[in-house]
Amino acid sequence: MTNDLASLVLQAQDDDPLRALHATTALRREIERLEAVQVRRARVAGLAWAQIADAIGVSKQAVHKKYGRR
């Protein structure tokens, strides 16, 4: 996975704007997926929504709205 992310980061810096946009979009999707995994792990570990929100840098309501109903 690290190689995939590193490859996408390099592609996101490409001179070809379409290739860079595709890579940037793929990076965003992967980051969102990784964040969701970490939020689930934090909840399973017993962390409160407020602690998770603080780590992500958003409000408790925002993190609960995004991840709380899954």
Side-chain angles (χ1 to χ4, degrees):
M1 178 188 311
T2 303
N3 289 336
D4 294 339
L5 290 176
S7 176
L8 285 172
V9 169
L10 289 175
Q11 290 174 27
Q13 299 170 11
D14 198 291
D15 289 336
D16 178 350
L18 287 178
R19 181 176 291 159
L21 283 169
H22 285 294
T24 301
T25 301
L27 277 167
R28 184 180 307 115
R29 281 192 304 261
E30 184 61 16
I31 293 298
E32 288 290 326
R33 186 192 71 75
L34 288 170
E35 184 176 271
V37 167
Q38 297 307 328
V39 168
R40 276 193 307 274
R41 289 182 65 212
R43 288 297 294 163
V44 167
L47 276 79
W49 286 114
Q51 292 173 293
I52 296 167
D54 187 50
I56 294 174
V58 298
S59 70
K60 179 177 73 169
Q61 292 80 7
V63 76
H64 188 264
K65 181 178 179 181
K66 186 170 184 177
Y67 298 108
R69 296 184 175 102
R70 291 186 174 193

Short mmCIF file of all heavy atoms in Angstrom, two decimals:
data_model
loop_
_atom_site.label_atom_id
_atom_site.label_comp_id
_atom_site.label_asym_id
_atom_site.label_seq_id
_atom_site.Cartn_x
_atom_site.Cartn_y
_atom_site.Cartn_z
N MET A 1 0.82 -1.19 0.00
CA MET A 1 0.00 0.00 0.00
C MET A 1 0.87 1.26 0.00
O MET A 1 0.53 2.22 -0.67
CB MET A 1 -0.94 0.02 1.21
CG MET A 1 -1.77 1.27 1.24
SD MET A 1 -2.77 1.57 2.69
CE MET A 1 -3.61 0.05 2.92
N THR A 2 1.97 1.25 0.73
CA THR A 2 2.84 2.41 0.79
C THR A 2 3.37 2.76 -0.59
O THR A 2 3.41 3.93 -0.96
CB THR A 2 4.01 2.17 1.76
OG1 THR A 2 3.47 1.85 3.04
CG2 THR A 2 4.88 3.39 1.88
N ASN A 3 3.74 1.73 -1.36
CA ASN A 3 4.21 1.98 -2.72
C ASN A 3 3.10 2.56 -3.57
O ASN A 3 3.35 3.42 -4.42
CB ASN A 3 4.75 0.69 -3.35
CG ASN A 3 6.06 0.26 -2.74
OD1 ASN A 3 6.79 1.07 -2.19
ND2 ASN A 3 6.36 -1.01 -2.82
N ASP A 4 1.87 2.08 -3.38
CA ASP A 4 0.73 2.62 -4.13
C ASP A 4 0.53 4.09 -3.82
O ASP A 4 0.32 4.90 -4.71
CB ASP A 4 -0.54 1.85 -3.82
CG ASP A 4 -0.49 0.40 -4.28
OD1 ASP A 4 0.32 0.09 -5.18
OD2 ASP A 4 -1.26 -0.40 -3.74
N LEU A 5 0.58 4.44 -2.54
CA LEU A 5 0.40 5.84 -2.14
C LEU A 5 1.55 6.70 -2.67
O LEU A 5 1.31 7.80 -3.17
CB LEU A 5 0.31 5.97 -0.63
CG LEU A 5 -0.97 5.42 0.01
CD1 LEU A 5 -0.89 5.53 1.53
CD2 LEU A 5 -2.18 6.14 -0.51
N ALA A 6 2.76 6.20 -2.57
CA ALA A 6 3.92 6.95 -3.08
C ALA A 6 3.80 7.15 -4.59
O ALA A 6 4.08 8.25 -5.10
CB ALA A 6 5.21 6.23 -2.74
N SER A 7 3.35 6.13 -5.27
CA SER A 7 3.15 6.24 -6.72
C SER A 7 2.09 7.27 -7.05
O SER A 7 2.25 8.08 -7.97
CB SER A 7 2.76 4.87 -7.28
OG SER A 7 2.46 4.96 -8.65
N LEU A 8 0.99 7.27 -6.29
CA LEU A 8 -0.08 8.25 -6.52
C LEU A 8 0.40 9.68 -6.24
O LEU A 8 0.04 10.61 -6.96
CB LEU A 8 -1.30 7.92 -5.67
CG LEU A 8 -2.14 6.74 -6.14
CD1 LEU A 8 -3.20 6.41 -5.10
CD2 LEU A 8 -2.77 7.02 -7.49
N VAL A 9 1.21 9.84 -5.20
CA VAL A 9 1.74 11.17 -4.89
C VAL A 9 2.60 11.67 -6.05
O VAL A 9 2.49 12.83 -6.46
CB VAL A 9 2.54 11.16 -3.57
CG1 VAL A 9 3.33 12.45 -3.38
CG2 VAL A 9 1.61 10.93 -2.39
N LEU A 10 3.43 10.80 -6.59
CA LEU A 10 4.25 11.20 -7.74
C LEU A 10 3.38 11.54 -8.94
O LEU A 10 3.62 12.54 -9.63
CB LEU A 10 5.24 10.09 -8.10
CG LEU A 10 6.38 9.87 -7.12
CD1 LEU A 10 7.21 8.66 -7.53
CD2 LEU A 10 7.24 11.12 -7.04
N GLN A 11 2.36 10.72 -9.20
CA GLN A 11 1.47 10.98 -10.32
C GLN A 11 0.69 12.28 -10.13
O GLN A 11 0.40 12.98 -11.10
CB GLN A 11 0.50 9.82 -10.52
CG GLN A 11 1.15 8.56 -11.02
CD GLN A 11 0.16 7.40 -11.06
OE1 GLN A 11 -1.03 7.61 -11.19
NE2 GLN A 11 0.67 6.19 -10.93
N ALA A 12 0.36 12.62 -8.90
CA ALA A 12 -0.37 13.85 -8.61
C ALA A 12 0.46 15.09 -8.93
O ALA A 12 -0.08 16.18 -9.06
CB ALA A 12 -0.82 13.87 -7.15
N GLN A 13 1.76 14.92 -9.07
CA GLN A 13 2.66 16.02 -9.40
C GLN A 13 3.01 16.04 -10.89
O GLN A 13 3.85 16.83 -11.34
CB GLN A 13 3.93 15.92 -8.56
CG GLN A 13 3.65 15.99 -7.08
CD GLN A 13 4.88 15.66 -6.26
OE1 GLN A 13 5.99 15.56 -6.76
NE2 GLN A 13 4.68 15.48 -4.97
N ASP A 14 2.35 15.18 -11.65
CA ASP A 14 2.64 15.03 -13.08
C ASP A 14 2.35 16.33 -13.84
O ASP A 14 1.48 17.11 -13.45
CB ASP A 14 1.77 13.90 -13.65
CG ASP A 14 2.29 13.39 -14.97
OD1 ASP A 14 2.19 14.14 -15.96
OD2 ASP A 14 2.77 12.25 -15.02
N ASP A 15 3.07 16.53 -14.92
CA ASP A 15 2.84 17.70 -15.77
C ASP A 15 1.53 17.59 -16.53
O ASP A 15 0.97 18.61 -16.95
CB ASP A 15 3.99 17.87 -16.76
CG ASP A 15 5.28 18.33 -16.08
OD1 ASP A 15 5.19 18.94 -15.00
OD2 ASP A 15 6.36 18.08 -16.65
N ASP A 16 1.05 16.38 -16.74
CA ASP A 16 -0.22 16.17 -17.43
C ASP A 16 -1.34 16.43 -16.43
O ASP A 16 -1.51 15.68 -15.46
CB ASP A 16 -0.30 14.74 -17.95
CG ASP A 16 -1.61 14.41 -18.64
OD1 ASP A 16 -2.56 15.21 -18.57
OD2 ASP A 16 -1.68 13.33 -19.26
N PRO A 17 -2.14 17.48 -16.63
CA PRO A 17 -3.16 17.83 -15.64
C PRO A 17 -4.20 16.72 -15.42
O PRO A 17 -4.65 16.52 -14.29
CB PRO A 17 -3.83 19.07 -16.21
CG PRO A 17 -3.02 19.52 -17.35
CD PRO A 17 -2.09 18.43 -17.72
N LEU A 18 -4.59 16.00 -16.45
CA LEU A 18 -5.58 14.93 -16.27
C LEU A 18 -5.01 13.79 -15.45
O LEU A 18 -5.69 13.26 -14.57
CB LEU A 18 -6.08 14.42 -17.62
CG LEU A 18 -7.01 15.37 -18.37
CD1 LEU A 18 -7.40 14.78 -19.71
CD2 LEU A 18 -8.24 15.68 -17.54
N ARG A 19 -3.79 13.41 -15.70
CA ARG A 19 -3.15 12.35 -14.91
C ARG A 19 -3.03 12.80 -13.46
O ARG A 19 -3.29 12.03 -12.53
CB ARG A 19 -1.78 11.99 -15.47
CG ARG A 19 -1.12 10.87 -14.67
CD ARG A 19 0.17 10.44 -15.27
NE ARG A 19 -0.13 9.76 -16.52
CZ ARG A 19 0.74 9.60 -17.50
NH1 ARG A 19 1.95 10.06 -17.40
NH2 ARG A 19 0.39 8.96 -18.60
N ALA A 20 -2.65 14.05 -13.25
CA ALA A 20 -2.51 14.59 -11.89
C ALA A 20 -3.86 14.62 -11.18
O ALA A 20 -3.95 14.27 -10.00
CB ALA A 20 -1.89 15.98 -11.94
N LEU A 21 -4.92 15.00 -11.89
CA LEU A 21 -6.26 15.02 -11.28
C LEU A 21 -6.74 13.62 -10.92
O LEU A 21 -7.31 13.42 -9.84
CB LEU A 21 -7.26 15.68 -12.23
CG LEU A 21 -7.19 17.21 -12.29
CD1 LEU A 21 -8.03 17.72 -13.45
CD2 LEU A 21 -7.66 17.80 -10.98
N HIS A 22 -6.53 12.67 -11.79
CA HIS A 22 -6.93 11.29 -11.49
C HIS A 22 -6.19 10.77 -10.26
O HIS A 22 -6.79 10.15 -9.38
CB HIS A 22 -6.65 10.37 -12.68
CG HIS A 22 -7.61 10.51 -13.80
ND1 HIS A 22 -8.94 10.16 -13.70
CD2 HIS A 22 -7.44 10.97 -15.07
CE1 HIS A 22 -9.55 10.39 -14.84
NE2 HIS A 22 -8.66 10.90 -15.69
N ALA A 23 -4.90 11.05 -10.19
CA ALA A 23 -4.11 10.59 -9.04
C ALA A 23 -4.55 11.29 -7.76
O ALA A 23 -4.65 10.65 -6.70
CB ALA A 23 -2.63 10.84 -9.30
N THR A 24 -4.84 12.57 -7.84
CA THR A 24 -5.28 13.32 -6.67
C THR A 24 -6.61 12.78 -6.16
O THR A 24 -6.81 12.62 -4.95
CB THR A 24 -5.41 14.82 -7.01
OG1 THR A 24 -4.12 15.29 -7.45
CG2 THR A 24 -5.86 15.63 -5.81
N THR A 25 -7.51 12.46 -7.06
CA THR A 25 -8.80 11.89 -6.68
C THR A 25 -8.62 10.53 -6.03
O THR A 25 -9.25 10.22 -5.02
CB THR A 25 -9.72 11.79 -7.91
OG1 THR A 25 -9.89 13.10 -8.45
CG2 THR A 25 -11.07 11.21 -7.55
N ALA A 26 -7.75 9.72 -6.59
CA ALA A 26 -7.47 8.40 -6.01
C ALA A 26 -6.86 8.54 -4.62
O ALA A 26 -7.19 7.78 -3.71
CB ALA A 26 -6.55 7.60 -6.94
N LEU A 27 -5.97 9.50 -4.46
CA LEU A 27 -5.37 9.75 -3.14
C LEU A 27 -6.44 10.15 -2.13
O LEU A 27 -6.45 9.67 -0.99
CB LEU A 27 -4.32 10.87 -3.22
CG LEU A 27 -2.94 10.46 -3.66
CD1 LEU A 27 -2.11 11.71 -3.98
CD2 LEU A 27 -2.25 9.63 -2.60
N ARG A 28 -7.35 11.03 -2.52
CA ARG A 28 -8.41 11.48 -1.61
C ARG A 28 -9.27 10.30 -1.17
O ARG A 28 -9.60 10.16 0.02
CB ARG A 28 -9.28 12.54 -2.27
CG ARG A 28 -10.33 13.10 -1.31
CD ARG A 28 -11.24 14.16 -1.93
NE ARG A 28 -10.49 15.24 -2.55
CZ ARG A 28 -10.52 15.50 -3.87
NH1 ARG A 28 -11.25 14.77 -4.69
NH2 ARG A 28 -9.82 16.49 -4.37
N ARG A 29 -9.63 9.44 -2.12
CA ARG A 29 -10.44 8.25 -1.77
C ARG A 29 -9.70 7.35 -0.80
O ARG A 29 -10.28 6.84 0.16
CB ARG A 29 -10.81 7.47 -3.04
CG ARG A 29 -11.95 8.06 -3.82
CD ARG A 29 -12.45 7.09 -4.87
NE ARG A 29 -11.40 6.66 -5.78
CZ ARG A 29 -11.20 7.16 -7.00
NH1 ARG A 29 -11.98 8.10 -7.46
NH2 ARG A 29 -10.22 6.71 -7.75
N GLU A 30 -8.42 7.14 -1.04
CA GLU A 30 -7.64 6.26 -0.16
C GLU A 30 -7.49 6.87 1.24
O GLU A 30 -7.60 6.16 2.24
CB GLU A 30 -6.27 5.98 -0.77
CG GLU A 30 -5.43 5.01 0.02
CD GLU A 30 -6.03 3.62 0.18
OE1 GLU A 30 -6.98 3.25 -0.55
OE2 GLU A 30 -5.56 2.89 1.06
N ILE A 31 -7.28 8.16 1.33
CA ILE A 31 -7.18 8.83 2.62
C ILE A 31 -8.50 8.73 3.38
O ILE A 31 -8.53 8.47 4.58
CB ILE A 31 -6.74 10.30 2.45
CG1 ILE A 31 -5.31 10.37 1.92
CG2 ILE A 31 -6.89 11.07 3.76
CD1 ILE A 31 -4.25 9.76 2.83
N GLU A 32 -9.62 8.94 2.68
CA GLU A 32 -10.95 8.81 3.31
C GLU A 32 -11.15 7.39 3.84
O GLU A 32 -11.67 7.20 4.94
CB GLU A 32 -12.05 9.17 2.32
CG GLU A 32 -12.14 10.64 2.00
CD GLU A 32 -12.65 11.47 3.17
OE1 GLU A 32 -13.50 10.98 3.95
OE2 GLU A 32 -12.20 12.62 3.29
N ARG A 33 -10.74 6.40 3.05
CA ARG A 33 -10.88 5.00 3.48
C ARG A 33 -10.02 4.74 4.72
O ARG A 33 -10.49 4.14 5.69
CB ARG A 33 -10.46 4.06 2.34
CG ARG A 33 -10.73 2.58 2.65
CD ARG A 33 -10.06 1.67 1.64
NE ARG A 33 -8.60 1.66 1.78
CZ ARG A 33 -7.93 1.04 2.74
NH1 ARG A 33 -8.58 0.37 3.68
NH2 ARG A 33 -6.62 1.08 2.78
N LEU A 34 -8.79 5.22 4.70
CA LEU A 34 -7.89 5.02 5.84
C LEU A 34 -8.42 5.72 7.09
O LEU A 34 -8.35 5.17 8.20
CB LEU A 34 -6.49 5.53 5.51
CG LEU A 34 -5.69 4.69 4.52
CD1 LEU A 34 -4.43 5.44 4.09
CD2 LEU A 34 -5.35 3.35 5.11
N GLU A 35 -8.97 6.92 6.93
CA GLU A 35 -9.53 7.63 8.07
C GLU A 35 -10.70 6.85 8.67
O GLU A 35 -10.81 6.71 9.89
CB GLU A 35 -9.98 9.03 7.67
CG GLU A 35 -10.49 9.85 8.83
CD GLU A 35 -10.83 11.26 8.42
OE1 GLU A 35 -9.92 12.12 8.47
OE2 GLU A 35 -12.00 11.50 8.05
N ALA A 36 -11.56 6.31 7.82
CA ALA A 36 -12.71 5.53 8.30
C ALA A 36 -12.23 4.30 9.08
O ALA A 36 -12.80 3.97 10.13
CB ALA A 36 -13.59 5.12 7.13
N VAL A 37 -11.20 3.66 8.60
CA VAL A 37 -10.65 2.49 9.30
C VAL A 37 -10.14 2.90 10.68
O VAL A 37 -10.41 2.23 11.68
CB VAL A 37 -9.52 1.83 8.47
CG1 VAL A 37 -8.73 0.83 9.30
CG2 VAL A 37 -10.09 1.17 7.22
N GLN A 38 -9.42 4.02 10.74
CA GLN A 38 -8.87 4.45 12.02
C GLN A 38 -9.95 4.90 12.99
O GLN A 38 -9.85 4.67 14.20
CB GLN A 38 -7.85 5.58 11.80
CG GLN A 38 -6.64 5.15 10.99
CD GLN A 38 -5.95 3.91 11.53
OE1 GLN A 38 -5.92 3.66 12.74
NE2 GLN A 38 -5.40 3.11 10.66
N VAL A 39 -11.01 5.52 12.48
CA VAL A 39 -12.12 5.90 13.35
C VAL A 39 -12.79 4.66 13.93
O VAL A 39 -13.07 4.60 15.13
CB VAL A 39 -13.14 6.79 12.59
CG1 VAL A 39 -14.44 6.95 13.39
CG2 VAL A 39 -12.53 8.15 12.27
N ARG A 40 -13.01 3.65 13.09
CA ARG A 40 -13.59 2.39 13.60
C ARG A 40 -12.69 1.77 14.66
O ARG A 40 -13.17 1.31 15.70
CB ARG A 40 -13.80 1.40 12.45
CG ARG A 40 -15.10 1.60 11.71
CD ARG A 40 -15.43 0.43 10.80
NE ARG A 40 -14.36 0.07 9.88
CZ ARG A 40 -14.17 0.63 8.69
NH1 ARG A 40 -14.95 1.59 8.28
NH2 ARG A 40 -13.19 0.23 7.91
N ARG A 41 -11.39 1.75 14.41
CA ARG A 41 -10.46 1.19 15.39
C ARG A 41 -10.51 1.96 16.70
O ARG A 41 -10.47 1.38 17.78
CB ARG A 41 -9.03 1.20 14.83
CG ARG A 41 -8.82 0.19 13.72
CD ARG A 41 -7.39 0.19 13.21
NE ARG A 41 -6.51 -0.26 14.28
CZ ARG A 41 -5.26 0.15 14.44
NH1 ARG A 41 -4.74 1.04 13.61
NH2 ARG A 41 -4.52 -0.31 15.42
N ALA A 42 -10.59 3.28 16.60
CA ALA A 42 -10.66 4.11 17.80
C ALA A 42 -11.93 3.83 18.59
O ALA A 42 -11.89 3.72 19.82
CB ALA A 42 -10.57 5.60 17.42
N ARG A 43 -13.05 3.70 17.90
CA ARG A 43 -14.31 3.41 18.59
C ARG A 43 -14.28 2.03 19.24
O ARG A 43 -14.72 1.87 20.38
CB ARG A 43 -15.49 3.51 17.62
CG ARG A 43 -15.82 4.93 17.20
CD ARG A 43 -16.25 5.80 18.36
NE ARG A 43 -17.53 5.31 18.87
CZ ARG A 43 -18.04 5.60 20.05
NH1 ARG A 43 -17.39 6.41 20.86
NH2 ARG A 43 -19.19 5.12 20.43
N VAL A 44 -13.74 1.05 18.53
CA VAL A 44 -13.63 -0.31 19.09
C VAL A 44 -12.73 -0.29 20.33
O VAL A 44 -12.98 -1.01 21.30
CB VAL A 44 -13.10 -1.30 18.03
CG1 VAL A 44 -12.69 -2.62 18.65
CG2 VAL A 44 -14.16 -1.52 16.95
N ALA A 45 -11.72 0.57 20.31
CA ALA A 45 -10.81 0.69 21.45
C ALA A 45 -11.43 1.47 22.60
O ALA A 45 -10.82 1.61 23.66
CB ALA A 45 -9.50 1.35 21.01
N GLY A 46 -12.64 2.01 22.40
CA GLY A 46 -13.34 2.69 23.47
C GLY A 46 -13.15 4.20 23.53
O GLY A 46 -13.57 4.83 24.50
N LEU A 47 -12.53 4.80 22.53
CA LEU A 47 -12.37 6.25 22.53
C LEU A 47 -13.70 6.93 22.30
O LEU A 47 -14.55 6.43 21.56
CB LEU A 47 -11.37 6.68 21.45
CG LEU A 47 -9.90 6.59 21.87
CD1 LEU A 47 -9.41 5.17 21.79
CD2 LEU A 47 -9.08 7.50 21.01
N ALA A 48 -13.87 8.08 22.92
CA ALA A 48 -15.08 8.88 22.78
C ALA A 48 -15.04 9.64 21.46
O ALA A 48 -13.97 9.92 20.91
CB ALA A 48 -15.20 9.87 23.94
N TRP A 49 -16.25 10.00 20.99
CA TRP A 49 -16.34 10.78 19.75
C TRP A 49 -15.55 12.08 19.89
O TRP A 49 -14.92 12.53 18.92
CB TRP A 49 -17.79 11.08 19.41
CG TRP A 49 -18.51 9.87 18.87
CD1 TRP A 49 -19.55 9.23 19.47
CD2 TRP A 49 -18.26 9.18 17.64
NE1 TRP A 49 -19.95 8.16 18.68
CE2 TRP A 49 -19.17 8.12 17.56
CE3 TRP A 49 -17.35 9.36 16.61
CZ2 TRP A 49 -19.20 7.24 16.48
CZ3 TRP A 49 -17.37 8.47 15.54
CH2 TRP A 49 -18.29 7.43 15.48
N ALA A 50 -15.55 12.69 21.06
CA ALA A 50 -14.84 13.95 21.27
C ALA A 50 -13.33 13.76 21.08
O ALA A 50 -12.66 14.62 20.50
CB ALA A 50 -15.14 14.51 22.65
N GLN A 51 -12.79 12.65 21.55
CA GLN A 51 -11.36 12.38 21.38
C GLN A 51 -11.02 12.17 19.91
O GLN A 51 -10.00 12.66 19.43
CB GLN A 51 -10.97 11.12 22.17
CG GLN A 51 -11.03 11.29 23.66
CD GLN A 51 -10.81 9.97 24.36
OE1 GLN A 51 -11.63 9.06 24.26
NE2 GLN A 51 -9.69 9.87 25.06
N ILE A 52 -11.87 11.44 19.22
CA ILE A 52 -11.64 11.19 17.79
C ILE A 52 -11.73 12.50 17.01
O ILE A 52 -10.88 12.78 16.15
CB ILE A 52 -12.66 10.15 17.26
CG1 ILE A 52 -12.43 8.81 17.97
CG2 ILE A 52 -12.55 10.01 15.75
CD1 ILE A 52 -13.54 7.80 17.77
N ALA A 53 -12.74 13.29 17.33
CA ALA A 53 -12.91 14.58 16.65
C ALA A 53 -11.70 15.48 16.86
O ALA A 53 -11.23 16.14 15.92
CB ALA A 53 -14.17 15.26 17.16
N ASP A 54 -11.17 15.48 18.07
CA ASP A 54 -10.00 16.29 18.37
C ASP A 54 -8.80 15.84 17.54
O ASP A 54 -8.06 16.66 17.00
CB ASP A 54 -9.68 16.21 19.87
CG ASP A 54 -8.57 17.15 20.27
OD1 ASP A 54 -8.66 18.35 19.93
OD2 ASP A 54 -7.62 16.69 20.94
N ALA A 55 -8.63 14.54 17.40
CA ALA A 55 -7.52 13.99 16.62
C ALA A 55 -7.65 14.34 15.13
O ALA A 55 -6.64 14.58 14.46
CB ALA A 55 -7.44 12.48 16.79
N ILE A 56 -8.88 14.38 14.65
CA ILE A 56 -9.12 14.68 13.24
C ILE A 56 -9.13 16.18 12.98
O ILE A 56 -8.86 16.64 11.88
CB ILE A 56 -10.45 14.04 12.77
CG1 ILE A 56 -10.34 12.52 12.82
CG2 ILE A 56 -10.82 14.48 11.37
CD1 ILE A 56 -11.64 11.82 12.51
N GLY A 57 -9.47 16.95 14.01
CA GLY A 57 -9.51 18.40 13.86
C GLY A 57 -10.86 18.92 13.41
O GLY A 57 -10.94 19.94 12.71
N VAL A 58 -11.92 18.21 13.81
CA VAL A 58 -13.28 18.64 13.50
C VAL A 58 -14.11 18.60 14.78
O VAL A 58 -13.63 18.17 15.83
CB VAL A 58 -13.94 17.75 12.41
CG1 VAL A 58 -13.17 17.83 11.11
CG2 VAL A 58 -14.06 16.32 12.88
N SER A 59 -15.35 19.03 14.68
CA SER A 59 -16.22 18.99 15.86
C SER A 59 -16.69 17.56 16.12
O SER A 59 -16.70 16.71 15.22
CB SER A 59 -17.44 19.90 15.65
OG SER A 59 -18.31 19.34 14.69
N LYS A 60 -17.11 17.34 17.36
CA LYS A 60 -17.66 16.03 17.73
C LYS A 60 -18.87 15.70 16.87
O LYS A 60 -19.03 14.57 16.43
CB LYS A 60 -18.02 16.04 19.22
CG LYS A 60 -18.61 14.72 19.70
CD LYS A 60 -18.88 14.74 21.18
CE LYS A 60 -20.07 15.62 21.48
NZ LYS A 60 -20.56 15.49 22.86
N GLN A 61 -19.70 16.70 16.63
CA GLN A 61 -20.90 16.48 15.82
C GLN A 61 -20.54 16.08 14.39
O GLN A 61 -21.17 15.20 13.81
CB GLN A 61 -21.78 17.74 15.81
CG GLN A 61 -22.42 18.06 17.14
CD GLN A 61 -21.47 18.77 18.11
OE1 GLN A 61 -20.35 19.16 17.77
NE2 GLN A 61 -21.92 18.93 19.35
N ALA A 62 -19.51 16.72 13.84
CA ALA A 62 -19.11 16.42 12.46
C ALA A 62 -18.59 15.00 12.32
O ALA A 62 -18.95 14.28 11.38
CB ALA A 62 -18.05 17.41 11.99
N VAL A 63 -17.76 14.57 13.26
CA VAL A 63 -17.20 13.21 13.16
C VAL A 63 -18.29 12.17 13.42
O VAL A 63 -18.33 11.13 12.75
CB VAL A 63 -15.98 13.03 14.10
CG1 VAL A 63 -16.37 12.86 15.54
CG2 VAL A 63 -15.15 11.84 13.67
N HIS A 64 -19.19 12.46 14.34
CA HIS A 64 -20.27 11.51 14.60
C HIS A 64 -21.21 11.41 13.41
O HIS A 64 -21.67 10.34 13.04
CB HIS A 64 -21.03 11.90 15.86
CG HIS A 64 -22.02 10.87 16.28
ND1 HIS A 64 -23.35 10.95 15.95
CD2 HIS A 64 -21.87 9.72 16.99
CE1 HIS A 64 -23.97 9.90 16.43
NE2 HIS A 64 -23.11 9.14 17.06
N LYS A 65 -21.51 12.56 12.79
CA LYS A 65 -22.38 12.56 11.62
C LYS A 65 -21.76 11.76 10.47
O LYS A 65 -22.44 10.99 9.79
CB LYS A 65 -22.65 13.99 11.15
CG LYS A 65 -23.55 14.10 9.96
CD LYS A 65 -23.81 15.54 9.59
CE LYS A 65 -24.71 15.64 8.37
NZ LYS A 65 -24.95 17.04 7.99
N LYS A 66 -20.46 11.93 10.28
CA LYS A 66 -19.78 11.26 9.16
C LYS A 66 -19.59 9.76 9.41
O LYS A 66 -19.75 8.96 8.50
CB LYS A 66 -18.42 11.91 8.90
CG LYS A 66 -17.73 11.39 7.67
CD LYS A 66 -16.52 12.22 7.34
CE LYS A 66 -15.88 11.74 6.05
NZ LYS A 66 -14.73 12.59 5.69
N TYR A 67 -19.26 9.38 10.64
CA TYR A 67 -18.90 7.99 10.91
C TYR A 67 -19.82 7.27 11.88
O TYR A 67 -19.72 6.06 12.03
CB TYR A 67 -17.47 7.93 11.47
CG TYR A 67 -16.44 8.43 10.49
CD1 TYR A 67 -15.80 9.65 10.69
CD2 TYR A 67 -16.12 7.71 9.35
CE1 TYR A 67 -14.85 10.12 9.81
CE2 TYR A 67 -15.19 8.16 8.46
CZ TYR A 67 -14.55 9.37 8.68
OH TYR A 67 -13.62 9.82 7.79
N GLY A 68 -20.69 7.97 12.55
CA GLY A 68 -21.48 7.38 13.60
C GLY A 68 -22.62 6.50 13.15
O GLY A 68 -23.09 5.66 13.90
N ARG A 69 -23.06 6.62 11.97
CA ARG A 69 -24.22 5.86 11.50
C ARG A 69 -23.86 4.73 10.57
O ARG A 69 -24.66 4.30 9.77
CB ARG A 69 -25.20 6.81 10.82
CG ARG A 69 -25.75 7.83 11.78
CD ARG A 69 -26.78 8.72 11.15
NE ARG A 69 -27.35 9.59 12.15
CZ ARG A 69 -27.02 10.86 12.30
NH1 ARG A 69 -26.11 11.40 11.50
NH2 ARG A 69 -27.58 11.60 13.23
N ARG A 70 -22.65 4.28 10.65
CA ARG A 70 -22.21 3.20 9.75
C ARG A 70 -22.41 1.86 10.36
O ARG A 70 -22.39 1.59 11.46
CB ARG A 70 -20.75 3.39 9.39
CG ARG A 70 -20.60 4.61 8.50
CD ARG A 70 -19.21 4.73 8.03
NE ARG A 70 -19.19 5.83 7.08
CZ ARG A 70 -18.21 6.06 6.29
NH1 ARG A 70 -17.15 5.31 6.31
NH2 ARG A 70 -18.24 7.06 5.44
#
